[in-house]
Amino acid sequence: MLTLNVDGAAWRQHHHDLRDAVPGLVPVAKGNGYGFGLDGLAREAMALQAPTLAVGIGREVETVRLAGWTRDVVVLNPWRSFDDVATALLDDPGVITTVSRAGDIAALRRDHPGARIIVELDTSMHRHGLRTDELAGLDLGDLRLEGWAVHLPSTGSLTEATALALAALDAARAPLWVSHLSVDDYRTFRSQVPGQTRMRVGTRLWLGAPDALRTTATVLDVHPVRRGQRLGYHQHKVPRDGQIVVVSGGTAHGIALQAPASLRTLRQRAVTASEGLLSAAGRQLSPFTIGGRKRSFAEAPHMQASMLFVPAGVEVKVGDEVPVTCRMTTTTFDRVLIS
Ligand SMILES: *Cc1c(COP(=O)(O)O)cnc(C)c1O
C-alpha cells in the first residue's frame, strides 16, 4: 500500500497555530485534497471550526458535504455558463460562487438574482478576474456580494493586494478575500484595508508542517536476479547481480509522473529520446528509498506497483514499509493513517 502517515498531534497543532496567526483564515480543500483527500480535509476544517471552506470546482461541494461539512462553501473557480453543476449551486444558500467577468455578472443578475457571489479581480497572475477599469458602473442588482477576491502569484505582493483592494472598496463595500500573502503581509494588509478580510490557504495549512508527514510504500515481493537476466513488461536486461524489489505505488498513484531531475541533462534527454522512455527508465532513480538510498526503477512504473533494482546484500523483505518521496498534490494514497 502507498501510505500517508500523519503525526496527528503535530499536524493539527500547525493548523491551530496558523488559524490563530491568520484571522479570517479560509481552509482550501480541492483536487486530491493535497494528498489527504477532500473528505479528510473537510473533517479537519470542521474540527478547526472554520466558518467557510473553499473548494476548487462545483463538483467538490457535494464531496465535502458528504464528509460532514455543514457550513458555507466557496467555489474558487469562477462560474461559467457551460458548467451545469456550478450553475445549480447558484441557487444553493450555502454556496458562494466566484464570478470573474462583467458579462457573467450581468447574466447572473438576470437569471439568478439573490445568488451569493464573490467578484474576482484581475491580478498580476492574469488567470481570471475583472480589471479595475471595469469596476466603475458595475451593476450587481440583487446579487449578494460576499466579497472581492484577489488571487496573487505565490510571491504575493502586499502593494498590489492593497491597491486592488482599495479600488474594489471604492466600487462597493465587501470583505476582501486574498491568497498567497505571507502572514506578516496579511497583517499589514488588514491594517490598511477597511472592513473584513479573509485569506484562503491550502498548501501552507495542510502541508506546512512537513515533519508531521511521512510517505511510505509496502514491499510486495523480492527476487534475486542475475546480471543479463530479462524481466518486466519490456524484458530489459538486469545490469548486474542483485535483487528485484516490487513495491506498492505506480502510475495510478501518480508515482514518477515527471522524469527525475537526474535525467534532465541534455545528453540524458537525448538518450531518453533515442531509446524511448521505457528503456531509459532502467537507469532512472525512483522516489523509493531502500537501505538508506533511492533505488533505480528496473522499468517504468506499472499501474499500481513499481519494480526496482536493488544491489545484492541490501536487506529488504516482503512487508517492509519503505520511504517514498511524493508530490502531495499529484499523489493518490491507498490510505491516510493519522496517529
Ligand atoms: C488553490 C487556491 C488557493 C490555495 O492555494 P495554495 O497555494 O494551495 O494555498 C487560494 N486561492 C485560490 C483562488 C486558489 O485557487
Side-chain angles (χ1 to χ4, degrees), residues 240-243 293 295 309-316:
R240 25 184 216 290
D241 290 0
Q243 41 193 340
R293 289 181 55 177
R295 300 299 173 181
F309 178 77
V310 177
V314 176
E315 266 189 47
V316 52

Side-chain angles (χ1 to χ4, degrees), residues 11-332:
W11 190 50
R12 290 175 178 135
Q13 184 62 51
H14 170 72
H15 301 166
H16 285 104
D17 292 348
L18 196 66
R19 182 192 59 185
D20 295 345
V22 176
L25 176 102
V26 178
V28 175
K30 63 185 180 186
N32 73 339
Y34 295 84
F36 302 91
L38 288 181
D39 45 354
L41 295 189
R43 288 191 291 270
E44 294 300 321
M46 268 318 261
L48 262 183
Q49 307 207 317
T52 312
L53 181 65
V55 298
I57 56 176
R59 249 186 320 116
E60 294 169 341
V61 172
E62 187 183 9
T63 311
V64 297
R65 282 179 170 166
L66 285 173
W69 179 261
T70 55
R71 308 193 184 108
D72 281 352
V73 185
V74 172
V75 180
L76 295 173
N77 263 31
W79 177 79
R80 289 293 180 266
S81 59
F82 40 78
D83 184 337
D84 294 341
V85 176
T87 300
L89 291 171
L90 287 163
D91 302 317
D92 184 322
V95 173
I96 302 171
T97 299
T98 303
V99 190
S100 70
R101 301 191 307 169
D104 290 343
I105 291 172
L108 296 192
R109 195 175 62 217
R110 191 185 60 229
D111 298 338
H112 299 272
R116 302 172 70 190
I117 62 161
I118 287 179
V119 176
E120 179 159 358
L121 303 170
D122 183 38
T123 69
S124 48
M125 282 267 294
H126 297 309
R127 190 167 79 174
H128 304 294
L130 267 73
R131 296 182 316 272
T132 45
D133 62 76
E134 295 177 285
L135 295 179
L138 194 65
D139 178 6
L140 296 175
D142 290 329
L143 292 169
R144 289 169 58 192
L145 181 64
E146 301 279 352
W148 299 103
V150 174
H151 186 209
L152 298 162
S154 346
T155 52
S157 142
L158 173 62
T159 321
E160 179 178 4
T162 309
L164 286 171
L166 295 176
L169 289 176
D170 252 1
R173 273 300 167 98
L176 254 300
W177 301 61
V178 295
S179 315
H180 298 142
L181 286 180
S182 71
V183 169
D184 285 347
D185 281 355
Y186 178 67
R187 284 233 175 86
T188 312
F189 178 76
R190 280 169 67 76
S191 71
Q192 293 176 345
V193 169
Q196 295 184 39
T197 60
R198 310 258 185 279
M199 184 150 73
R200 303 163 297 188
V201 187
T203 306
R204 259 183 294 168
L205 178 62
W206 310 120
L207 302 176
D211 291 348
L213 310 177
R214 214 164 39 83
T215 46
T216 56
T218 313
V219 172
L220 301 174
D221 236 323
V222 181
H223 313 292
V225 284
R226 314 283 304 173
R227 174 188 149 89
Q229 187 180 331
R230 291 182 181 275
L231 61 83
Y233 282 123
H234 301 281
Q235 293 291 291
H236 297 303
K237 284 185 184 168
V238 174
R240 25 184 216 290
D241 290 0
Q243 41 193 340
I244 291 300
V245 177
V246 185
V247 289
S248 299
T251 53
H253 300 92
I255 290 291
L257 289 176
Q258 271 183 314
S262 60
L263 244 168
R264 293 215 189 99
T265 66
L266 264 184
R267 194 191 66 78
Q268 283 170 319
R269 263 185 280 155
V271 169
T272 309
S274 63
E275 294 184 8
L277 185 64
L278 292 173
S279 81
R283 286 185 289 280
Q284 277 193 23
L285 217 52
S286 80
F288 300 92
T289 295
I290 295 177
R293 289 181 55 177
K294 292 252 167 75
R295 300 299 173 181
S296 306
F297 282 116
E299 72 170 352
H302 301 172
M303 190 86 153
Q304 286 162 323
S306 294
M307 296 177 78
L308 312 177
F309 178 77
V310 177
V314 176
E315 266 189 47
V316 52
K317 59 180 190 311
V318 172
D320 284 357
E321 288 290 312
V322 302
V324 51
T325 309
C326 296
R327 185 172 169 191
M328 298 293 285
T329 50
T330 58
T331 306
T332 306

